């Protein structure tokens, strides 16, 4: 099965080689955890390293914001747009979902014009404005995601979670149903230092890493590092040493000495 | 004020002749692939919907914007005409650093009557 590499160091390894082609991949996290950066990196790497043009569909940030943020990593999105390898499309969830249902919708035409194979949708949370009815929302997202997959795109979807630290109240299983992979980005406080953690909850049709790993936003973009060692309850946001490690830390040396 | 080409002058005086229209045109110039409704565009440019509606429709009549019927929803996009896009680009360049578009228009009009 064809893999679509993110080009993000450590992440492709967690994904067993990358996303599966023509799938929807959701990344959920609190503001500032790096969802959009990771998504931009997926698009940028796709164009520059794998010759796969991409589209950024934004419901919130203006294109200028993406150009500016990307330039901090030396990713010149404006140049890629001029080369017709990228489009940053600002719109609303309502317009985009209706446009995709049309025979010659504006977004579909743009996808065809540049031969887009990847798309970042930033962020899916805005669909919650369309309807308060969870059944209708689920159906709407399901249709939206499937219409994009049907156009041959591999999707990187972001979703904002309200909790800065710790578990998100009411993790939406509905969203997991609509997507092929579901990953969580979290802040984790260890010894008064805030780290960032990534966990792949599911990857339909493929094996994937089950451990929780640290990641950093470096001058070259996101880099996924090793897993957290000696900590339990990472996703609670405030992990504690594993019981055996805590025991060893408290008594181990003395007992050994004794 | 910089030297203005005749076409760019006419484009400003005849088609982008208010601060609101200029705010909208400039917004689309920076968001060339935007496709959105009146309500959202009004939010983005920070003007009242009622005023924005008239300006959007006039800009569409003048070929600067296009109106898309998206499954019954009215959405606006930037024109795809190369000529129009070039005029917008030149206008943006000429108006860089100008504080008041009204002053620029007044000054051009004065120059025309002298």
């Amino acid at each position: 099965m064809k893999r679509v590499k993110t080009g993000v160091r450590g992440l492709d390894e967690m994904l067993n080689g990358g996303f599966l082609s023509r799938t929807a991949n959701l990344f959920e996290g609190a503001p500032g955890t790096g969802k959009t950066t990771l998504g931009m990196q997926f698009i940028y790497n796709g164009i520059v390293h794998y010759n796969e043009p991409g589209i950024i569909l934004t419901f919130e940030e203006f294109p200028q914001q993406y150009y500016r943020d990307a330039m901090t990593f030396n990713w010149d999105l404006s140049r890629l747009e001029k080369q017709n390898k990228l489009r940053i499309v600002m719109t609303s969830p309502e317009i985009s979902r209706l446009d995709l249902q049309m025979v010659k919708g504006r977004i579909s035409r743009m996808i065809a014009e540049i031969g887009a194979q990847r798309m970042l949708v930033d962020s899916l949370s805005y669909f919650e404005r369309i309807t308060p009815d969870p059944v209708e929302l689920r159906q709407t997202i399901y249709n939206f995601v499937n219409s994009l997959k049907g156009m041959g795109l591999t999707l990187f979807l972001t979703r904002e979670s309200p909790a800065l630290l710790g578990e998100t109240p009411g993790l939406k299983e509905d969203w997991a149903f609509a997507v092929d992979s579901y990953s969580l980005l979290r802040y984790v406080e260890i010894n008064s230092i805030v780290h960032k953690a990534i966990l792949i909850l599911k990857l339909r049709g493929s094996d994937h890493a089950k451990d929780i790993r640290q990641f950093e936003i470096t001058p070259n973009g996101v880099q996924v590092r090793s897993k957290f060692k000696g900590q339990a309850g990472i996703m609670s946001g405030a992990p504690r040493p594993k019981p055996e490690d805590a025991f060893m830390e408290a008594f181990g040396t003395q007992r050994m000495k004794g | 004020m910089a030297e203005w080409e005749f076409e760019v002058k006419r484009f400003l005086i005849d088609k982008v002749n208010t601060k609101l229209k200029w705010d909208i045109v400039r917004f689309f110039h920076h968001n060339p692939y935007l496709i959105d409704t009146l309500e959202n565009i009004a939010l983005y440019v920070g003007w009242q919907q009622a005023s924005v509606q008239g300006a959007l429709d006039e800009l569409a009549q003048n070929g600067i914007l296009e109106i898309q019927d998206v499954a019954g929803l009215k959405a606006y996009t930037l024109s795809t005409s190369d000529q129009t896009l070039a005029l917008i680009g030149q206008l943006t360049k000429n108006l860089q650093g100008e504080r008041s578009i009204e002053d620029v228009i007044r000054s051009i009009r004065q120059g025309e009557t002298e």
Side-chain angles (χ1 to χ4, degrees), chain A residues 10-214:
Chain A
L11 181 58
D12 285 328
E13 186 208 320
M14 288 185 83
L15 293 163
N16 221 9
F19 299 133
L20 293 173
S21 178
R22 300 182 175 211
T23 55
N25 306 281
L26 180 64
F27 285 76
E28 191 203 289
T33 43
K35 302 180 295 294
T36 303
T37 303
L38 205 48
M40 283 196 299
Q41 200 166 351
F42 168 70
I43 295 293
Y44 179 81
N45 285 344
I47 297 168
V48 172
H49 300 305
Y50 308 113
N51 196 27
E52 295 181 353
I55 288 188
I56 297 175
L57 195 65
T58 165
F59 302 136
E60 182 184 23
E61 305 283 2
F62 296 123
Q64 300 292 321
Q65 185 74 44
Y66 287 91
Y67 298 148
R68 204 166 39 233
D69 292 349
M71 275 313 282
T72 62
F73 305 106
N74 283 321
W75 305 334
D76 192 345
L77 299 186
S78 176
R79 180 176 57 87
L80 297 178
E81 205 160 42
K82 284 180 190 128
Q83 292 171 349
N84 289 325
K85 293 175 179 173
L86 170 72
R87 291 282 180 270
I88 301 181
V89 183
M90 189 176 189
T91 183
S92 54
E94 189 60 42
I95 287 285
S96 58
R97 82 182 176 96
L98 292 173
D99 186 78
L100 288 169
Q101 288 166 12
M102 294 170 65
V103 179
K104 282 186 180 172
R106 183 101 168 172
I107 298 169
S108 326
R109 270 186 288 148
M110 268 188 252
I111 291 168
E113 274 163 17
I114 66 164
Q117 294 180 50
R118 298 177 177 218
M119 182 182 272
L120 161 63
V121 179
D122 195 20
S123 120
L124 220 51
S125 306
Y126 281 78
F127 275 86
E128 289 173 4
R129 289 194 316 203
I130 291 180
T131 173
D133 178 0
V135 176
E136 194 185 337
L137 179 63
R138 175 178 161 145
Q139 193 63 44
T140 301
I141 290 174
Y142 191 67
N143 288 347
F144 174 75
V145 161
N146 281 340
S147 59
L148 290 170
K149 280 161 67 176
M151 290 177 198
L153 295 167
T154 304
L155 308 173
F156 188 112
L157 313 164
T158 66
R159 176 175 183 256
E160 197 118 310
S161 64
L164 274 180
L165 274 169
E167 300 288 351
T168 305
L171 188 71
K172 302 254 173 102
E173 292 82 7
D174 286 358
W175 297 69
F177 160 82
V179 297
D180 300 285
S181 86
Y182 197 164
S183 302
L184 298 178
L185 306 182
R186 287 283 184 271
Y187 289 115
V188 179
E189 186 216 325
I190 302 173
N191 297 331
S192 302
I193 295 173
V194 175
H195 301 259
K196 286 175 178 157
I198 182 168
L199 166 67
I200 299 172
L201 278 180
K202 81 160 191 175
L203 177 57
R204 197 178 278 159
S206 169
D207 195 15
H208 61 89
K210 311 291 190 303
D211 46 10
I212 302 163
R213 300 202 187 178
Q214 302 183 59

Side-chain angles (χ1 to χ4, degrees), chain A residues 63 87 89-92 102, chain B residues 31 33-36 40 69-70:
Chain A
R87 291 282 180 270
V89 183
M90 189 176 189
T91 183
S92 54
M102 294 170 65
Chain B
N31 299 276
Y33 306 108
L34 180 99
I35 169 166
D36 224 327
N40 287 329
D69 179 359
V70 183

Side-chain angles (χ1 to χ4, degrees), chain B residues 4-66:
Chain B
W4 286 60
E5 286 176 25
F6 177 76
E7 270 195 327
V8 185
K9 263 193 223 174
R10 293 312 332 157
F11 185 67
L12 174 65
I13 301 283
D14 298 339
K15 298 181 176 177
V16 195
N17 43 19
T18 64
K19 177 160 184 347
L20 171 55
K21 283 186 196 167
W22 169 235
D23 281 353
I24 294 171
V25 168
R26 186 172 47 184
F27 176 71
F28 272 93
H29 176 67
H30 291 302
N31 299 276
Y33 306 108
L34 180 99
I35 169 166
D36 224 327
T37 56
L38 158 69
E39 292 78 8
N40 287 329
I41 294 168
L43 274 178
Y44 302 145
V45 297
W47 285 72
Q48 295 285 334
Q49 259 186 49
S51 324
V52 173
Q53 173 141 40
L56 284 173
D57 288 337
E58 278 180 40
L59 289 168
Q61 275 165 20
N62 283 319
I64 297 170
L65 300 182
E66 290 173 7

